[in-house]
Amino acid sequence: MDEYVEIKQKNVINNLITFNKNLYKVDSLKETIGTNEFYFILDKSKELNLKPSTLQLFIFILVKASALSLTKEYRTINIPLKDYMELRNISNPVSARRKINQDLSSLLSFHIGFKDRNYNKFSKDKKPVIDTFKMNIFSSYTKFSNGEIQIILNEDFIQLYNTFPKMILSTEIFKIDTHLNPNSFYILWALSYLNNINRNKPERVNNILIRTLLDYCPDIPKNYAEIKKAGQTNQRIINPFMRDMKRLSNIIDWYLMDLNNTKQHLKKISLYQFLELKMHFSFKKSAHNSKIELGKVEETISTDENTKNEIRPP
Protein backbone atom coordinates (compact mmCIF):
# COMPACT_ATOMS: atom_id res chain seq x y z
CA MET A 1 0.00 0.00 0.00
CA ASP A 2 1.26 3.49 -0.87
CA GLU A 3 2.40 5.96 1.76
CA TYR A 4 -0.78 7.93 1.19
CA VAL A 5 -4.20 6.57 0.32
CA GLU A 6 -7.60 8.09 -0.34
CA ILE A 7 -10.62 7.68 1.89
CA LYS A 8 -14.09 9.06 1.28
CA GLN A 9 -14.88 11.17 4.29
CA LYS A 10 -17.51 13.51 5.64
CA ASN A 11 -18.60 14.80 9.04
CA VAL A 12 -20.30 11.54 9.99
CA ILE A 13 -17.04 9.60 9.54
CA ASN A 14 -15.02 12.22 11.40
CA ASN A 15 -17.57 12.27 14.23
CA LEU A 16 -17.48 8.49 14.54
CA ILE A 17 -13.69 8.22 14.62
CA THR A 18 -13.26 11.09 17.09
CA PHE A 19 -16.23 10.20 19.29
CA ASN A 20 -15.21 10.32 22.97
CA LYS A 21 -17.78 8.39 24.96
CA ASN A 22 -16.10 9.58 28.17
CA LEU A 23 -17.63 13.00 27.57
CA TYR A 24 -21.17 11.61 27.87
CA LYS A 25 -22.97 10.14 30.84
CA VAL A 26 -24.57 6.82 29.93
CA ASP A 27 -28.22 6.90 30.97
CA SER A 28 -29.92 3.50 31.25
CA LEU A 29 -33.20 5.18 30.29
CA LYS A 30 -31.79 6.53 27.03
CA GLU A 31 -31.23 4.50 23.88
CA THR A 32 -28.58 6.81 22.42
CA ILE A 33 -25.30 8.48 23.36
CA GLY A 34 -23.97 11.59 21.62
CA THR A 35 -25.47 14.80 20.27
CA ASN A 36 -28.37 15.70 17.98
CA GLU A 37 -25.88 15.89 15.09
CA PHE A 38 -24.30 12.49 15.68
CA TYR A 39 -25.09 9.66 18.09
CA PHE A 40 -24.79 5.94 18.62
CA ILE A 41 -27.95 3.90 19.09
CA LEU A 42 -27.04 1.64 21.99
CA ASP A 43 -27.41 -2.12 22.11
CA LYS A 44 -28.29 -2.91 25.72
CA SER A 45 -26.57 -6.30 25.47
CA LYS A 46 -23.20 -4.89 24.32
CA GLU A 47 -20.78 -2.22 25.46
CA LEU A 48 -19.98 0.48 22.92
CA ASN A 49 -16.43 -0.46 21.95
CA LEU A 50 -14.43 2.34 20.35
CA LYS A 51 -10.89 1.05 20.81
CA PRO A 52 -8.28 2.57 18.47
CA SER A 53 -7.59 -0.85 16.91
CA THR A 54 -11.30 -1.13 16.06
CA LEU A 55 -11.18 2.29 14.42
CA GLN A 56 -7.98 1.40 12.55
CA LEU A 57 -9.80 -1.56 11.00
CA PHE A 58 -12.81 0.65 10.28
CA ILE A 59 -10.61 3.14 8.40
CA PHE A 60 -8.91 0.31 6.51
CA ILE A 61 -12.31 -0.98 5.35
CA LEU A 62 -13.31 2.51 4.22
CA VAL A 63 -10.04 2.90 2.30
CA LYS A 64 -10.77 -0.40 0.54
CA ALA A 65 -14.36 0.74 -0.12
CA SER A 66 -13.10 4.05 -1.55
CA ALA A 67 -11.02 2.19 -4.13
CA LEU A 68 -13.95 0.09 -5.37
CA SER A 69 -17.13 0.86 -7.32
CA LEU A 70 -19.55 -0.44 -4.74
CA THR A 71 -23.29 -0.66 -5.39
CA LYS A 72 -26.28 -2.00 -3.50
CA GLU A 73 -25.80 -5.26 -5.42
CA TYR A 74 -22.03 -5.44 -4.85
CA ARG A 75 -20.86 -4.16 -1.48
CA THR A 76 -18.37 -6.76 -0.31
CA ILE A 77 -14.89 -5.95 0.98
CA ASN A 78 -12.27 -8.73 1.00
CA ILE A 79 -9.44 -8.47 3.53
CA PRO A 80 -6.52 -10.94 3.23
CA LEU A 81 -5.09 -11.61 6.68
CA LYS A 82 -1.53 -11.46 5.36
CA ASP A 83 -1.99 -7.97 3.88
CA TYR A 84 -3.58 -6.58 7.03
CA MET A 85 -0.89 -8.10 9.26
CA GLU A 86 1.83 -6.57 7.11
CA LEU A 87 0.16 -3.15 7.14
CA ARG A 88 -0.32 -3.21 10.92
CA ASN A 89 3.11 -4.72 11.67
CA ILE A 90 1.48 -7.73 13.36
CA SER A 91 3.57 -10.92 13.38
CA ASN A 92 1.33 -13.50 15.09
CA PRO A 93 -1.48 -14.73 12.78
CA VAL A 94 -3.41 -16.41 15.62
CA SER A 95 -3.63 -13.23 17.69
CA ALA A 96 -4.30 -11.23 14.51
CA ARG A 97 -7.31 -13.39 13.63
CA ARG A 98 -8.65 -13.12 17.15
CA LYS A 99 -8.23 -9.34 17.26
CA ILE A 100 -9.80 -8.79 13.83
CA ASN A 101 -12.81 -10.90 14.81
CA GLN A 102 -13.18 -8.91 18.03
CA ASP A 103 -12.95 -5.61 16.16
CA LEU A 104 -15.40 -6.75 13.48
CA SER A 105 -17.87 -7.83 16.15
CA SER A 106 -17.68 -4.32 17.58
CA LEU A 107 -18.04 -2.70 14.16
CA LEU A 108 -21.09 -4.82 13.39
CA SER A 109 -22.87 -3.31 16.38
CA PHE A 110 -22.28 0.29 15.21
CA HIS A 111 -25.81 1.62 14.76
CA ILE A 112 -25.63 5.38 14.25
CA GLY A 113 -27.87 8.36 13.74
CA PHE A 114 -26.69 11.61 12.19
CA LYS A 115 -27.57 14.69 10.20
CA ASP A 116 -25.97 15.47 6.86
CA ARG A 117 -26.02 18.53 4.61
CA ASN A 118 -27.36 17.65 1.18
CA TYR A 119 -25.74 19.94 -1.39
CA ASN A 120 -28.07 18.64 -4.10
CA LYS A 121 -31.12 20.04 -2.32
CA PHE A 122 -31.60 23.61 -1.19
CA SER A 123 -34.21 25.32 0.91
CA LYS A 124 -35.95 28.58 0.04
CA ASP A 125 -33.18 30.56 1.74
CA LYS A 126 -30.66 28.76 -0.52
CA LYS A 127 -29.13 26.70 2.29
CA PRO A 128 -28.50 22.96 1.80
CA VAL A 129 -31.26 20.74 3.15
CA ILE A 130 -30.39 18.80 6.30
CA ASP A 131 -31.14 15.09 5.89
CA THR A 132 -31.49 12.79 8.91
CA PHE A 133 -30.28 9.17 8.87
CA LYS A 134 -30.28 6.10 11.10
CA MET A 135 -28.36 3.04 9.92
CA ASN A 136 -25.94 0.24 10.57
CA ILE A 137 -22.68 0.56 8.64
CA PHE A 138 -22.16 -3.17 8.20
CA SER A 139 -24.59 -5.92 7.20
CA SER A 140 -22.46 -8.95 8.01
CA TYR A 141 -19.05 -10.55 7.79
CA THR A 142 -17.82 -14.08 7.20
CA LYS A 143 -15.40 -15.99 9.37
CA PHE A 144 -11.89 -16.48 7.99
CA SER A 145 -11.62 -18.82 5.03
CA ASN A 146 -8.39 -19.43 3.10
CA GLY A 147 -6.72 -16.60 4.98
CA GLU A 148 -9.32 -14.03 3.97
CA ILE A 149 -12.37 -12.45 5.51
CA GLN A 150 -15.33 -10.84 3.74
CA ILE A 151 -17.20 -7.81 5.07
CA ILE A 152 -20.54 -6.77 3.60
CA LEU A 153 -21.45 -3.12 3.99
CA ASN A 154 -24.97 -1.89 4.60
CA GLU A 155 -26.84 -0.95 1.42
CA ASP A 156 -28.04 2.42 2.75
CA PHE A 157 -24.55 3.30 3.97
CA ILE A 158 -22.92 2.49 0.62
CA GLN A 159 -25.41 4.62 -1.31
CA LEU A 160 -24.57 7.56 0.95
CA TYR A 161 -20.83 6.85 1.20
CA ASN A 162 -20.46 6.90 -2.59
CA THR A 163 -21.40 10.61 -2.53
CA PHE A 164 -18.71 11.60 0.00
CA PRO A 165 -15.67 13.65 -1.10
CA LYS A 166 -12.19 12.17 -0.94
CA MET A 167 -9.51 12.83 1.66
CA ILE A 168 -5.82 11.92 1.62
CA LEU A 169 -4.56 9.90 4.59
CA SER A 170 -1.12 8.62 5.56
CA THR A 171 -0.92 4.83 5.95
CA GLU A 172 1.12 5.50 9.08
CA ILE A 173 -2.24 5.59 10.86
CA PHE A 174 -2.38 1.79 10.58
CA LYS A 175 1.14 1.24 11.89
CA ILE A 176 0.68 3.04 15.21
CA ASP A 177 0.85 0.77 18.26
CA THR A 178 -2.02 2.26 20.25
CA HIS A 179 -0.86 0.57 23.45
CA LEU A 180 2.43 2.46 23.35
CA ASN A 181 1.06 5.66 21.82
CA PRO A 182 -2.69 5.82 22.54
CA ASN A 183 -3.09 9.41 21.31
CA SER A 184 -1.02 9.26 18.12
CA PHE A 185 -3.82 7.64 16.15
CA TYR A 186 -6.29 10.42 17.00
CA ILE A 187 -3.74 13.20 16.52
CA LEU A 188 -2.78 11.93 13.07
CA TRP A 189 -6.42 11.71 12.04
CA ALA A 190 -7.11 15.25 13.31
CA LEU A 191 -4.09 16.76 11.54
CA SER A 192 -4.91 14.90 8.32
CA TYR A 193 -8.47 16.20 8.49
CA LEU A 194 -7.30 19.81 8.97
CA ASN A 195 -4.62 19.44 6.29
CA ASN A 196 -7.30 18.26 3.89
CA ILE A 197 -9.56 21.22 4.66
CA ASN A 198 -6.70 23.65 3.99
CA ARG A 199 -5.31 21.97 0.87
CA ASN A 200 -6.83 24.36 -1.69
CA LYS A 201 -6.78 27.48 0.49
CA PRO A 202 -3.37 29.13 0.21
CA GLU A 203 -4.43 31.86 2.63
CA ARG A 204 -4.85 29.27 5.38
CA VAL A 205 -2.00 27.60 7.22
CA ASN A 206 -1.90 24.39 9.19
CA ASN A 207 -2.26 25.75 12.70
CA ILE A 208 -4.33 24.18 15.45
CA LEU A 209 -4.83 25.15 19.09
CA ILE A 210 -3.39 22.66 21.57
CA ARG A 211 -6.64 22.77 23.52
CA THR A 212 -8.51 21.77 20.36
CA LEU A 213 -6.05 19.00 19.53
CA LEU A 214 -6.32 17.58 23.05
CA ASP A 215 -10.09 17.29 22.54
CA TYR A 216 -9.30 14.61 19.95
CA CYS A 217 -7.32 12.58 22.52
CA PRO A 218 -9.60 10.47 24.74
CA ASP A 219 -6.61 9.12 26.70
CA ILE A 220 -5.71 12.60 27.99
CA PRO A 221 -7.99 13.77 30.83
CA LYS A 222 -9.96 16.99 30.39
CA ASN A 223 -10.54 17.82 34.08
CA TYR A 224 -7.82 20.44 33.83
CA ALA A 225 -8.51 22.22 37.11
CA GLU A 226 -8.21 18.97 39.08
CA ILE A 227 -5.05 17.95 37.22
CA LYS A 228 -3.44 21.33 37.95
CA LYS A 229 -4.45 21.21 41.61
CA ALA A 230 -2.93 17.73 41.96
CA GLY A 231 0.34 18.89 40.39
CA GLN A 232 0.04 16.33 37.56
CA THR A 233 0.22 18.64 34.54
CA ASN A 234 3.41 17.12 33.12
CA GLN A 235 2.64 13.54 34.09
CA ARG A 236 -0.89 13.31 32.72
CA ILE A 237 -1.10 15.94 29.96
CA ILE A 238 2.10 17.43 28.60
CA ASN A 239 4.36 14.35 28.70
CA PRO A 240 1.82 11.94 27.10
CA PHE A 241 1.05 14.50 24.40
CA MET A 242 4.71 15.12 23.59
CA ARG A 243 5.47 11.39 23.61
CA ASP A 244 2.71 10.68 21.09
CA MET A 245 3.62 13.65 18.89
CA LYS A 246 7.19 12.31 18.81
CA ARG A 247 5.81 9.03 17.45
CA LEU A 248 4.61 10.98 14.38
CA SER A 249 7.92 12.79 13.78
CA ASN A 250 8.74 10.50 10.85
CA ILE A 251 5.87 11.98 8.81
CA ILE A 252 5.08 15.36 10.41
CA ASP A 253 7.19 18.46 11.05
CA TRP A 254 5.76 20.62 13.81
CA TYR A 255 6.49 23.24 16.43
CA LEU A 256 4.59 25.07 19.15
CA MET A 257 3.99 28.82 19.21
CA ASP A 258 2.02 31.36 21.17
CA LEU A 259 -0.91 33.36 19.86
CA ASN A 260 1.56 35.92 18.47
CA ASN A 261 3.18 33.18 16.35
CA THR A 262 6.38 33.17 18.42
CA LYS A 263 7.96 29.75 18.78
CA GLN A 264 7.71 28.35 22.28
CA HIS A 265 9.52 25.70 24.28
CA LEU A 266 8.08 23.80 27.19
CA LYS A 267 10.47 24.77 29.97
CA LYS A 268 8.61 25.86 33.11
CA ILE A 269 5.26 26.22 31.39
CA SER A 270 1.98 26.15 33.28
CA LEU A 271 -1.01 24.03 32.27
CA TYR A 272 -3.06 26.96 31.06
CA GLN A 273 -0.11 28.44 29.16
CA PHE A 274 0.24 25.07 27.43
CA LEU A 275 -3.46 24.94 26.55
CA GLU A 276 -3.27 28.39 24.95
CA LEU A 277 -0.41 27.44 22.63
CA LYS A 278 -0.99 26.44 19.06
CA MET A 279 0.83 24.03 16.79
CA HIS A 280 2.06 24.66 13.28
CA PHE A 281 2.50 21.44 11.31
CA SER A 282 3.23 20.12 7.85
CA PHE A 283 3.47 16.64 6.37
CA LYS A 284 7.04 15.83 5.34
CA LYS A 285 5.95 14.17 2.13
CA SER A 286 3.10 16.28 0.94
CA ALA A 287 -0.09 14.46 0.08
CA HIS A 288 -1.10 17.56 -1.86
CA ASN A 289 1.05 16.30 -4.72
CA SER A 290 -1.30 13.36 -5.17
CA LYS A 291 -2.99 13.12 -8.56
CA ILE A 292 -6.25 12.10 -6.89
CA GLU A 293 -9.07 14.48 -7.72
CA LEU A 294 -10.59 15.57 -4.43
CA GLY A 295 -14.04 16.94 -3.80
CA LYS A 296 -15.38 19.59 -1.47
CA VAL A 297 -14.65 19.05 2.21
CA GLU A 298 -17.21 19.94 4.83
CA GLU A 299 -15.72 21.74 7.80
CA THR A 300 -16.42 21.05 11.53
CA ILE A 301 -13.17 20.54 13.74
CA SER A 302 -21.86 -9.96 -4.71
CA THR A 303 -25.27 -10.15 -3.06
CA ASP A 304 -25.08 -11.38 0.49
CA GLU A 305 -28.06 -13.70 0.39
CA ASN A 306 -26.07 -16.92 0.14
CA THR A 307 -22.92 -16.01 2.04
CA LYS A 308 -21.88 -18.77 4.44
CA ASN A 309 -20.87 -18.27 8.07
CA GLU A 310 -22.05 -14.69 8.01
CA ILE A 311 -22.45 -12.78 11.25
CA ARG A 312 -25.13 -10.11 11.29
CA PRO A 313 -25.92 -7.21 13.61
CA PRO A 314 -28.60 -7.80 16.25
Side-chain angles (χ1 to χ4, degrees), residues 3-265:
E3 291 183 30
Y4 286 94
V5 291
E6 69 174 50
I7 179 174
K8 292 180 180 177
Q9 203 284 129
K10 214 174 181 184
N11 283 348
V12 56
I13 305 299
N14 185 59
N15 287 336
L16 190 157
I17 291 171
T18 61
F19 190 85
N20 186 352
K21 66 179 182 179
N22 298 326
L23 299 180
Y24 303 93
K25 184 177 179 180
V26 177
D27 188 337
S28 59
L29 299 178
K30 291 185 177 181
E31 296 181 348
T32 66
I33 181 172
T35 68
N36 290 331
E37 297 295 319
F38 177 87
Y39 56 88
F40 283 92
I41 301 169
L42 299 175
D43 179 352
K44 299 296 182 181
S45 65
K46 293 184 179 180
E47 180 183 359
L48 179 60
N49 192 337
L50 291 169
K51 292 181 180 179
S53 65
T54 305
L55 297 174
Q56 284 172 312
L57 179 58
F58 176 60
I59 292 173
F60 181 74
I61 294 169
L62 293 186
V63 167
K64 297 277 283 186
S66 298
L68 298 172
S69 299
L70 298 179
T71 65
K72 63 180 182 179
E73 290 81 20
Y74 181 79
R75 44 198 165 87
T76 301
I77 304 293
N78 296 317
I79 298 182
L81 178 63
K82 182 181 178 182
D83 292 353
Y84 191 66
M85 287 177 60
E86 183 178 343
L87 183 64
R88 293 287 317 280
N89 290 330
I90 301 173
S91 58
N92 188 324
V94 176
S95 62
R97 284 172 182 262
R98 182 174 63 249
K99 191 69 186 77
I100 289 174
N101 279 320
Q102 290 172 350
D103 288 334
L104 283 173
S105 178
S106 298
L107 291 175
L108 205 65
S109 68
F110 281 9
H111 191 189
I112 59 175
F114 58 96
K115 294 181 179 179
D116 181 69
R117 290 182 179 87
N118 188 334
Y119 288 96
N120 293 319
K121 299 179 184 177
F122 294 89
S123 59
K124 292 180 179 179
D125 56 0
K126 298 184 179 180
K127 293 182 179 180
V129 171
I130 305 296
D131 292 329
T132 301
F133 299 91
K134 289 183 182 179
M135 64 179 65
N136 284 82
I137 296 176
F138 300 91
S139 291
S140 65
Y141 70 91
T142 61
K143 294 182 179 179
F144 275 103
S145 176
N146 297 321
E148 190 171 85
I149 199 166
Q150 285 190 337
I151 298 125
I152 300 171
L153 296 166
N154 180 284
E155 178 180 337
D156 292 335
F157 175 74
I158 278 300
Q159 288 184 307
L160 185 64
Y161 189 68
N162 283 338
T163 69
F164 287 2
K166 298 169 186 175
M167 174 175 126
I168 299 298
L169 185 65
S170 169
T171 53
E172 194 69 26
I173 202 164
F174 303 115
K175 304 183 191 316
I176 295 168
D177 185 332
T178 56
H179 295 289
L180 297 176
N181 303 99
N183 302 295
S184 298
F185 166 82
Y186 297 99
I187 291 172
L188 179 53
W189 175 267
L191 298 184
S192 300
Y193 183 67
L194 179 59
N195 186 62
N196 198 55
I197 289 173
N198 290 343
R199 65 177 187 264
N200 291 323
K201 299 178 180 179
E203 75 280 4
R204 292 178 60 165
V205 293
N206 283 347
N207 292 339
I208 185 170
L209 285 172
I210 292 299
R211 185 188 289 270
T212 300
L213 193 51
L214 291 180
D215 286 341
Y216 281 85
C217 303
D219 195 65
I220 293 179
K222 306 302 184 293
N223 53 333
Y224 297 132
E226 295 176 25
I227 296 295
K228 182 177 183 297
K229 186 176 181 180
Q232 298 178 328
T233 296
N234 287 329
Q235 175 188 348
R236 300 193 63 191
I237 297 179
I238 296 180
N239 290 347
F241 175 80
M242 298 299 290
R243 174 201 66 206
D244 291 351
M245 278 303 308
K246 185 177 180 180
R247 166 61 183 82
L248 301 175
S249 60
N250 61 321
I251 58 169
I252 296 175
D253 287 320
W254 61 279
Y255 58 85
L256 300 177
M257 54 188 179
D258 62 22
L259 297 182
N260 294 318
N261 296 332
T262 302
K263 285 187 179 181
Q264 296 293 311
H265 302 283

